[in-house]
Amino acid sequence: MTVSGSVSQAEFDRLWSQVSSIGRVASGGYRRFAWTAEDLTLREWFAAACAERGLDVTVDRAGNQWAWWGDPDAAGPGGPGPGGPGVAIGSHLDSVPDGGAFDGPLGVVSSLLVVDMLRRAGATPARPLAVVNFADEEGARFGVACGGSRLLTGALGAPRALALRDDNGTSLAEALRGAGRDPDRLAADPEALRRVGCFVELHVEQGRGLADLGRPVAVGTAIWGHGRWRFDLPGEANHAGTTRLSDRRDPTLAHATLVLRARELAQRHGVVATCGKVRVEPNGVNAIPSLVTGWLDARGDDDAAVRAMVAGFSDAVAEVGGIFTQESWTDRTPFDAGLLRRLDAALDRAPHLPTGAGHDAGILANAGVPTAMLFVRNPTGISHSPAEYAEPGDCLAGVVALARVVEGLMCLAGMPGSSHASRYRQFCRTSRPGCGQRL
Ligand SMILES: [Zn+2]
């Protein structure tokens, strides 16, 4: 199988223009929240774009859309049977509030264009190939990021997910019903997951790594260790005019010192830390607060460094009489070493970059699926904002890189040393004459 080397700007623009107006708001950003009308329009678009390419879309029990080319359930040549070594590519179509155009859709559109390139080359994938649209990646509506992939893998249980509520008090169960879905179907889907032998997610870069390197595409190496913590700072409610400064117990002062402390500790330990959310009670202009609740988000490439930063912060919270609670923690998630070697071989020394952002790829990696990511340069380095951007030429470079990766994976089904390898050795001989690579 040989994929033709390029994709045209017109091809990219045509597909891109089909999604670029959906969910766009006055700020120039996007509001595409899970199971809203905008999301449903995008899901219909995805199904239609797949149908146009002769691919049927199936929806797994977690609500993710999969368009398989080749039968991932067939036994023997062309299909894996149990163990599912199909190749999946894709990303998500939902957004954060006023999010950028590229976060998610770039991966989906690029994956559909890879299918076009394979078709144009007259190729029939030696392994089943899927394009996936993960549901509710951003968690913008119900507060849990990567909801679709977490449900799929069982990392998020259906009962807990169904009870999540949006800002209007609508539960996920009600939102699903409103979207014509049966909430009782929502569940982990090991069968759908088994079909995925490996997953490669192309994504716009969400920092300035590539802009500084002067390169259009990078290979993702890992997702940083990351977590969220809550700190409750009790105070004493009182009148803003009649209470002497010396008599006050004002928890906003403690909060302010802790925000500064987080910054200082992050710098000392070489990690990033953010206090981006705060709740003040009773939240009145003329009332000294009775309680301030703050949140800390901390991340880094070295789990121990993040832990050290958080330990220092926890001490600082205790010093001001606060209560510190961990809400979540995910260890650094390295992408699959064998798959990274494949990407390196296909991409001729593209730079390596870890990422501080969470992705469905990380959830699948934690579920044991060999997973990798490609990042496309974002010259602004800004993401989750209308300022997020990728140059047209870089988008095309991303599509070509993804096509090369898929080509390599088609030829060499199964990871080196994996249980899949011997079963698929024959594909290596037949899919690309002269390849001869031993698995
Ligand atoms: Zn994303």
Side-chain angles (χ1 to χ4, degrees):
M1 180 176 78
T2 306
V3 178
S4 65
S6 67
V7 58
S8 77
Q9 189 65 53
E11 285 173 279
F12 183 89
D13 290 348
R14 185 183 150 271
L15 209 50
W16 191 251
S17 68
Q18 292 174 3
V19 290
S20 55
S21 63
I22 302 170
R24 190 158 198 184
V25 293
S27 65
Y30 291 85
R31 294 189 170 211
R32 297 161 161 171
F33 306 147
W35 307 110
T36 59
E38 292 77 15
D39 188 36
L40 295 178
T41 304
L42 286 161
R43 292 171 67 91
E44 276 169 29
W45 167 80
F46 179 76
C50 293
E52 216 177 279
R53 288 161 177 79
L55 309 177
D56 287 334
V57 170
T58 56
V59 180
D60 66 29
R61 295 198 62 178
N64 309 301
Q65 293 177 295
W66 300 87
W68 279 104
W69 184 2
D71 183 357
D73 296 322
V87 175
I89 54 177
S91 190
H92 62 95
L93 292 171
D94 67 314
S95 79
V96 297
D98 291 57
F102 298 87
D103 179 353
L106 184 62
V108 175
V109 165
S110 297
S111 298
L112 291 169
L113 289 169
V114 166
V115 170
D116 292 347
M117 291 171 78
L118 293 172
R119 289 244 192 261
R120 192 165 51 215
T124 303
R127 307 170 73 186
L129 174 68
V131 180
V132 58
N133 170 33
F134 280 109
D136 198 8
E137 193 273 347
E138 300 288 5
R141 184 172 178 192
F142 296 103
V144 175
C146 301
S149 55
R150 282 185 207 271
L151 274 160
L152 169 70
T153 59
L156 171 65
R160 197 190 138 207
L162 289 167
L164 294 170
R165 289 187 185 273
D166 68 12
D167 288 343
N168 297 322
T170 305
S171 69
L172 175 59
E174 288 158 354
L176 286 169
R177 222 172 276 123
R181 267 69 179 178
D182 178 4
D184 293 337
R185 270 203 86 242
L186 200 74
D189 198 334
E191 212 172 299
L193 189 61
R194 225 178 2 245
R195 294 171 185 146
V196 184
C198 65
F199 174 54
V200 181
E201 180 171 7
L202 178 147
H203 203 279
V204 69
E205 200 205 337
Q206 296 176 285
R208 286 192 46 84
L210 279 168
D212 292 344
L213 290 169
R215 300 285 295 269
V217 177
V219 171
T221 51
I223 294 180
W224 284 358
H226 58 279
R228 290 181 185 186
W229 294 263
R230 194 182 75 236
F231 48 103
D232 294 296
L233 308 170
E236 185 177 56
N238 212 330
H239 195 286
T242 58
T243 315
R244 285 190 300 238
L245 289 177
S246 57
D247 290 341
R248 296 178 182 214
R249 281 184 57 218
D250 182 350
T252 59
L253 300 179
H255 184 261
T257 61
L258 287 168
V259 172
L260 295 170
R261 188 94 175 110
R263 173 67 177 242
E264 185 192 310
L265 286 164
Q267 263 162 349
R268 186 188 307 164
H269 292 284
V271 303
V272 293
T274 308
C275 297
K277 179 175 171 179
V278 60
R279 196 167 60 206
V280 179
E281 290 176 26
N283 207 22
V285 178
N286 55 359
I288 297 162
S290 58
L291 177 70
V292 169
T293 303
W295 277 266
L296 171 75
D297 175 306
R299 311 176 188 219
D301 201 28
D302 176 359
D303 287 350
V306 180
R307 287 291 194 188
M309 182 271 152
V310 172
F313 190 81
S314 170
D315 290 346
V317 171
E319 270 166 36
V320 297
I323 298 160
F324 191 66
T325 313
Q326 178 172 300
E327 289 194 335
S328 66
W329 168 255
T330 308
D331 284 342
R332 181 180 185 274
T333 304
F335 291 127
D336 185 77
L339 198 51
L340 289 185
R341 280 196 293 277
R342 300 289 186 79
L343 267 62
D344 282 341
L347 298 180
D348 193 21
R349 296 192 193 88
H352 283 190
L353 283 181
T355 177
H359 295 284
D360 294 310
I363 305 297
L364 263 60
N366 281 326
V369 177
T371 298
M373 289 190 78
L374 292 177
F375 294 117
V376 172
R377 173 166 52 189
N378 174 358
T380 67
I382 295 172
S383 187
H384 286 184
S385 148
E388 177 185 281
Y389 187 62
E391 295 286 353
D394 288 357
C395 293
L396 297 190
V399 177
V400 171
L402 184 60
R404 287 204 186 121
V405 166
V406 168
E407 184 182 22
L409 293 171
M410 285 301 154
C411 182
L412 303 168
M415 301 298 107
S418 80
S419 58
H420 300 321
S422 57
R423 200 186 313 167
Y424 293 97
R425 185 164 294 160
Q426 58 189 312
F427 293 154
C428 191
R429 295 203 192 107
T430 56
S431 63
R432 191 159 75 178
C435 170
Q437 183 145 354
R438 305 283 305 174
L439 289 172

